[in-house]
Amino acid sequence: PGAVSTGQFAFVQFQTQEAADTAIALSGMVLGDRAIRITLSQQPIVKVKGEAEIQAEQQALQKSMSIMEQIAAKIANKNKPPPPREERKDDRREGRGDDRRGDDRPRSRARR
């Protein structure tokens, strides 16, 4: 009997060339009441990227890495203790410095 096409087909992608070769060797095998036909695809299943797409992806990756490095540096700097603060003579008078008020606002020079 002649081959009758019913329009039923499937595309399968194999992990290895060996698996694909094994499947192709099964072409013509009867499955149920039909012989199966297995051939190589005429068009690749995976789209091949062009040079421009590859360069755009590399630039995006480099930008992302730069941003991540900046974030890592900020985190590292945040975990460092602050540098010692220089005392200003006019801010500290015997026992009456910033620590008394608990903030860093400069004191007024006006006398009451």
Side-chain angles (χ1 to χ4, degrees), residues 60-80:
L61 181 60
Q62 287 174 347
K63 184 176 180 180
S64 296
M65 291 299 293
S66 174
I67 291 170
M68 288 176 57
E69 288 170 357
Q70 291 172 7
I71 291 170
K74 285 182 180 180
I75 291 171
N77 287 336
K78 196 171 195 176
N79 292 333
K80 288 183 182 177

Side-chain angles (χ1 to χ4, degrees), residues 88-100:
R88 293 180 296 216
K89 290 180 182 178
D90 59 339
D91 280 352
R92 302 242 180 216
R93 286 183 262 157
E94 301 190 27
R96 295 188 60 203
D98 293 339
D99 56 337
R100 183 171 174 217

Side-chain angles (χ1 to χ4, degrees), residues 10-31:
F11 293 99
V12 179
Q13 185 173 2
F14 294 94
Q15 294 292 324
T16 65
Q17 183 64 45
E18 182 182 344
D21 292 340
T22 301
I24 290 171
L26 297 175
S27 186
M29 181 178 141
V30 176
L31 185 61

Side-chain angles (χ1 to χ4, degrees), residues 11 40-47:
F11 293 99
L40 292 174
S41 174
Q42 299 300 313
Q43 298 177 359
I45 294 173
V46 177
K47 179 183 173 190

